Amino acid sequence: MSSPFYYTKYDSDIIYFTHNSLKERYEFYVNDKLVDYEEGTFGEYNFEHENYHLKVKTKLKTTHTFSVSGKEIPLAKIKKKELQALLAGKGLHNEVNPTAEQIEQNRFKPQRLLIPVTLMVAGFIIQYIVKEKSDPAWLIPAIPEAIAGWMLYDIVAERVYWLKNMRRARLGFMALVVVGLGFLGEFLFKYL
């Protein structure tokens, strides 16, 4: 579920804010520019830009006050599509209202999975070939599988922003692929 947007028009500016749940932060925009943001979900946040001041308090319910040069102005709740139409009407494009080219650029391309999947299949085949060996040859399939895990981390981290902040997430992806394919091989190879 996406977070609601709150907006107002002041002079020729469209001022709005929202909580970006993917990046876990509050974002404050003036027209097409992200002018301020603060990370977090619960607490008290203050945003300032020129003579605009926004104060957001979040506990169980979110409350906000917006003022221009000390004069309080109410912010109305608006759906994202309506806000996008409002921004598009003024020719403004950003993360909230991307252009068609930006949407196409950010679209997931399944071809990016070709190399990691090929490496996983290669590791799985090697695992089958060396399954009877007692020497360290059983480690050979772990090399392409670990490389596949390394590459999968990059693909997933582009979409899951909080994953970039985890210190050993890349190693976790590598281990997950190696161990997962190892267990799958142990299970399937009994029947071959």
Side-chain angles (χ1 to χ4, degrees):
M1 187 175 106
S2 62
S3 299
F5 286 83
Y6 295 90
Y7 91 107
T8 191
K9 290 181 184 178
Y10 186 80
D11 289 338
S12 62
D13 290 335
I14 299 174
I15 300 140
Y16 51 103
F17 85 95
T18 190
H19 181 261
N20 186 328
S21 55
L22 290 175
K23 295 182 181 178
E24 293 184 2
R25 68 184 192 182
Y26 281 92
E27 298 175 338
F28 180 48
Y29 292 87
V30 175
N31 293 320
D32 60 341
K33 292 188 177 41
L34 173 64
V35 294
D36 199 2
Y37 69 89
E38 284 193 37
E39 294 187 2
T41 303
F42 297 103
E44 190 171 309
Y45 307 94
N46 290 298
F47 305 97
E48 291 192 32
H49 176 70
E50 295 173 0
N51 56 346
Y52 301 140
H53 181 76
L54 173 66
K55 187 175 190 177
V56 180
K57 287 183 186 177
T58 305
K59 289 186 181 176
L60 294 175
K61 186 178 179 186
T62 301
T63 58
H64 57 272
T65 54
F66 175 69
S67 59
V68 178
S69 302
K71 179 185 172 194
E72 194 169 311
I73 297 175
L75 294 175
K77 193 174 186 178
I78 188 171
K79 292 181 180 176
K80 186 174 183 179
K81 288 216 181 262
E82 294 169 356
L83 180 61
Q84 288 173 331
L86 190 66
L87 293 170
K90 289 188 80 174
L92 302 173
H93 296 280
N94 61 4
E95 191 175 285
V96 176
N97 184 37
T99 62
E101 293 83 25
Q102 290 170 326
I103 292 171
E104 184 59 36
Q105 184 180 14
N106 291 334
R107 183 168 284 146
F108 177 72
K109 295 168 183 70
Q111 304 89 304
R112 294 190 62 203
L113 289 175
L114 184 63
I115 294 173
V117 168
T118 303
L119 287 170
M120 286 190 284
V121 168
F124 197 69
I125 292 169
I126 295 169
Q127 183 180 348
Y128 179 74
I129 293 169
V130 299
K131 71 178 179 173
E132 301 296 324
K133 307 265 191 230
S134 60
D135 55 11
W138 61 270
L139 284 174
I140 294 172
I143 295 168
E145 293 169 358
I147 294 169
W150 181 281
M151 295 173 79
L152 283 174
Y153 168 79
D154 290 330
I155 293 168
V156 173
E158 285 178 7
R159 299 270 186 235
V160 185
Y161 296 101
W162 57 266
L163 201 57
K164 291 181 181 179
N165 296 332
M166 296 180 69
R167 292 182 61 208
R168 292 187 172 82
R170 188 179 298 275
L171 291 174
F173 266 74
M174 292 168 66
L176 185 67
V177 171
V178 171
V179 171
L181 288 176
F183 280 132
L184 182 64
E186 288 296 319
F187 174 74
L188 290 179
F189 297 157
K190 286 189 238 181
Y191 302 107
L192 296 177

